[in-house]
């Protein structure tokens, strides 16, 4: 509008001359495929190449949506679904096993413009949990649905169900067997009794074997209209019991989006991420202290560490500033923005922004 | 310590002389029994007297714990259990019915000193959901458990189960019947099809009939050791479908406690309270902007209203400052602090602090 009004007034013309050329709305996305003990010496070159290729594929799926002017929420969905469909990540196909030997899936999604949100937990037969989270957001008056009830909603929306075996992989079954062996050793063969953290001799590390926390997937995206969105999907924790749910379906912990601040997707030790309200805590520092993405993210991850937890987050603001930070050894991550070089990274010594 | 060190140094003595006599740690608690359309002209004097008496009974149960030096978390439990056991409130006995004609209960609890938290959702056979939330917090490595899994955990802890009929009351069954009639009218007899808010002619008010949102209960407490705790328990929303869960089991939305800021318990239209991350948003303003309890609470409730939601919160800081504020017509509420007069209130024109 300035362009047409300015010539009418000398002062306005001067102001225009001093204003730099209007910047294009930046757009792009950041993704993660889980944080944990990911070390170079434990990864074969072949597996590493598979991870990097799948991260790039997921990144490109979402970027293509943004490039053609599509909404951030569609980019989040497209990206997360590539990772849900890949057995490499702990979401959808390839999810970890519960103690009962099945897969139970959680997901959530949020839009930064309307602050609408959707979350699902404890799914057993829905191929794409992130899709169902989106339908809860857009086609129900609710935010969160759990268990069989959530699947009934899916049925009413015409979803086809998959058998639980669709999600199950041999690799994850072996992880469950190892976890059960460890648990049996830690509890002297009384693993059927719930481990009480208040019992002497049972450290929480025994229960939460660290290498069981890999692979939650997530995406934060910024579209050409300047809208943010975030989504997260997971199989939770190997050997989880008692309908345990982590931070992923908890809006404000695992997922958050607000155009006024940022979009966030978390991955890590979910219990600590809930207690620290991680995603909203990052947003709150930007809202109330005008912190930038990186300092807000660092401060919140420091709180998680202080509580005793680890993991990572991806955070993106409306100007295209982003962080993919973590206090674990590594995090599968990638970012792509218009006019900038693509980043795909895994280890702790690779880029975090 | 100053008392003994001070005489050794003149400057210290002077400093001591200028310091006011050490104040006793304030202690006490604030409770709510739900917010909604609560109006004088719709309440019989007998029913009003019953509510005031039960609020006072719940208040005294928690206060007795604090008065004898017990921890805030015990006071929260004692208070919430009185309200869970009363058919007057939508928690435990007297919970509202789901669309399937049963009761499904959610609860959460959090400690301000350790920031430990526990949450349960979708319970059908646990007499005191707040007790199970506490056991998840204290006797498992998890924060959140849902549905049958959560009940299996209860069984492993030796809980006795009650039949779902224990929770069911005639009054709530009639509310369900009314809600179903309304829904049938709103959807032209197609109530078995899920209402899609994106459909023309279906307003969200049709679905969320406002008088169905009463009665969640909660408590925030401050003990003589200066520790805060918060807890919330609910039957959710009349005629809820699809395993719908509101803000109550969402740490950071329905319940939050942090000794550095405040303890919060929410009640109201849960979907909006999740999207606004109500409990943590109040805490964040105190943490990041040094706001007091009342201004932080008012700012967050204004955000909920802007999104289109209503309800209320109780908020308490470590110095005994508290708010029991709401943007609905009324909120069942009460407060009692050492050395101060007790407050029991229901309507919008009664005290809010």
């Amino acid at each position: 509008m300035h362009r047409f009004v300015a010539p009418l007034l000398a002062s306005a013309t001067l102001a225009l001359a001093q204003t730099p050329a209007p910047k294009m709305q930046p757009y792009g996305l950041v993704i993660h495929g889980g944080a944990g003990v990911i070390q170079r010496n434990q990864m074969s070159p072949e597996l590493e190449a598979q991870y990097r290729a799948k991260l790039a594929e997921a990144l490109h799926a979402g970027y293509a949506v943004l490039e053609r002017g599509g909404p951030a929420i569609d980019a989040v969905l497209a990206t997360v679904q590539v990772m849900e469909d890949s057995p490499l990540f702990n979401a959808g196909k390839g999810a970890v096993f519960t103690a009962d030997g099945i897969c139970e899936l959680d997901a959530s999604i949020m839009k930064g413009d309307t602050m609408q949100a959707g979350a699902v937990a404890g799914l057993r037969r829905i191929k794409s949990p992130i899709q169902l989270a989106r339908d809860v957001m857009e086609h129900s008056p609710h935010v969160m649905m759990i268990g069989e009830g959530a699947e009934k909603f899916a049925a009413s929306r015409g979803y086809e169900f998959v058998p639980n075996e669709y999600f199950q992989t041999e690799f994850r079954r072996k992880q469950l067997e190892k976890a059960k062996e460890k648990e049996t050793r830690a509890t002297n063969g009384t693993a059927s009794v719930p481990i009480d953290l208040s019992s002497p001799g049972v450290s929480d590390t025994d229960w939460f074997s660290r290498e069981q926390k890999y692979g939650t997937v997530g995406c934060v995206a910024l579209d050409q209209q300047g809208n943010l969105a975030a989504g997260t999907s997971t199989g939770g924790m190997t050997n989880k019991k008692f309908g345990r749910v982590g931070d992923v379906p908890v809006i404000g912990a695992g997922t958050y989006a607000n155009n006024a601040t940022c979009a966030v997707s978390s991955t890590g030790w979910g219990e600590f991420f809930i207690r620290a309200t991680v995603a909203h805590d990052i947003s709150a520092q930007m809202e109330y202290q005008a912190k930038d993405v990186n300092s807000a993210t660092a401060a919140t991850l420091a709180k998680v560490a202080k509580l005793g937890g680890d993991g990572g987050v991806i955070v993106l603001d409306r100007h295209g500033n982003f962080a993919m930070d973590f206090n674990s050894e590594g995090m599968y991550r990638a970012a792509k923005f218009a006019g900038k070089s693509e980043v795909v990274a895994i280890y702790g010594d690779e880029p975090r922004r």
Side-chain angles (χ1 to χ4, degrees), chain A residues 40 42-52 346-347:
Chain A
R40 271 207 178 73
Q42 292 175 357
M43 177 88 83
S44 73
E46 294 74 24
L47 188 59
E48 182 179 325
Q50 282 178 38
Y51 271 112
R52 290 191 191 271
I346 298 177
Y347 304 115

Side-chain angles (χ1 to χ4, degrees), chain A residues 159-240:
Chain A
Y159 276 60
E160 278 180 40
F161 287 19
V162 294
N164 198 261
E165 290 71 23
Y166 164 79
F167 304 107
Q168 301 175 10
T169 59
E170 200 45 40
F171 172 66
R172 298 298 188 188
R173 190 177 297 280
K174 279 185 185 149
Q175 282 188 332
L176 175 65
E177 283 162 15
K178 272 190 204 166
K180 282 186 178 288
E181 277 167 31
K182 266 193 184 175
E183 188 181 56
T184 306
R185 280 200 304 275
T187 57
N188 301 316
T190 58
S192 63
V193 174
I195 298 182
D196 186 338
L197 276 189
S198 57
S199 309
V202 178
S203 79
D204 50 10
T205 325
D206 292 333
W207 177 291
F208 285 112
S209 176
R210 290 186 168 265
E211 63 270 34
Q212 295 165 39
K213 293 182 285 117
Y214 288 163
T216 293
V217 308
C219 175
V220 290
L222 171 63
D223 64 29
Q224 295 192 39
Q225 291 70 49
N227 291 319
L228 292 167
T232 314
S233 182
T234 192
M237 184 174 284
T238 298
N239 201 23
K240 65 186 180 182

Side-chain angles (χ1 to χ4, degrees), chain A residues 49-312:
Chain A
Q50 282 178 38
Y51 271 112
R52 290 191 191 271
K54 191 54 79 173
L55 286 168
E57 183 189 333
L59 194 66
H60 298 160
Y63 189 78
V65 172
L66 301 171
E67 199 172 27
R68 64 171 180 259
I73 195 81
D74 287 359
V76 166
L77 198 81
T79 290
V80 170
Q81 285 185 321
V82 170
M83 294 189 281
E84 283 180 339
D85 292 350
S86 163
L88 290 173
F89 304 100
N90 175 18
K93 190 176 190 66
V96 299
F97 282 73
T98 68
D100 293 336
I102 60 165
C103 298
E104 286 187 350
L105 311 166
D106 312 325
S108 66
I109 201 162
M110 189 162 181
K111 291 178 70 177
D113 51 349
T114 58
M115 297 186 68
Q116 285 173 285
V120 287
L123 306 180
R124 297 181 181 183
R125 297 177 294 166
I126 306 298
K127 192 182 173 201
S128 173
I130 193 81
Q131 174 71 59
L132 187 58
R134 183 180 181 163
D135 280 344
V136 169
M137 173 174 74
E138 294 184 345
H139 299 291
S140 92
H142 299 313
V143 169
M144 189 169 187
M145 296 185 186
I146 64 174
E148 280 176 37
E151 297 195 340
K152 274 188 201 169
F153 174 70
S156 79
R157 300 277 319 159
Y159 276 60
E160 278 180 40
F161 287 19
V162 294
N164 198 261
E165 290 71 23
Y166 164 79
F167 304 107
Q168 301 175 10
T169 59
E170 200 45 40
F171 172 66
R172 298 298 188 188
R173 190 177 297 280
K174 279 185 185 149
Q175 282 188 332
L176 175 65
E177 283 162 15
K178 272 190 204 166
K180 282 186 178 288
E181 277 167 31
K182 266 193 184 175
E183 188 181 56
T184 306
R185 280 200 304 275
T187 57
N188 301 316
T190 58
S192 63
V193 174
I195 298 182
D196 186 338
L197 276 189
S198 57
S199 309
V202 178
S203 79
D204 50 10
T205 325
D206 292 333
W207 177 291
F208 285 112
S209 176
R210 290 186 168 265
E211 63 270 34
Q212 295 165 39
K213 293 182 285 117
Y214 288 163
T216 293
V217 308
C219 175
V220 290
L222 171 63
D223 64 29
Q224 295 192 39
Q225 291 70 49
N227 291 319
L228 292 167
T232 314
S233 182
T234 192
M237 184 174 284
T238 298
N239 201 23
K240 65 186 180 182
K241 295 180 179 67
F242 308 132
R244 177 265 187 189
V245 166
D247 62 320
V248 170
V250 177
I251 296 295
T255 300
Y256 189 73
N258 182 348
N259 274 2
T261 53
C262 60
V264 185
S265 171
S266 308
T267 173
W269 195 334
E271 278 71 12
F272 292 94
F273 278 64
I274 295 177
R275 291 165 58 197
T277 326
V278 164
H280 185 264
D281 193 56
I282 294 170
S283 168
Q285 292 172 71
M286 296 178 67
E287 181 173 359
Y288 300 128
Q289 295 188 306
K291 278 199 187 174
D292 63 30
V293 161
N294 279 296
S295 58
T297 300
T300 298
L301 283 179
K303 284 185 187 176
V304 172
K306 203 177 163 190
L307 287 175
D310 63 355

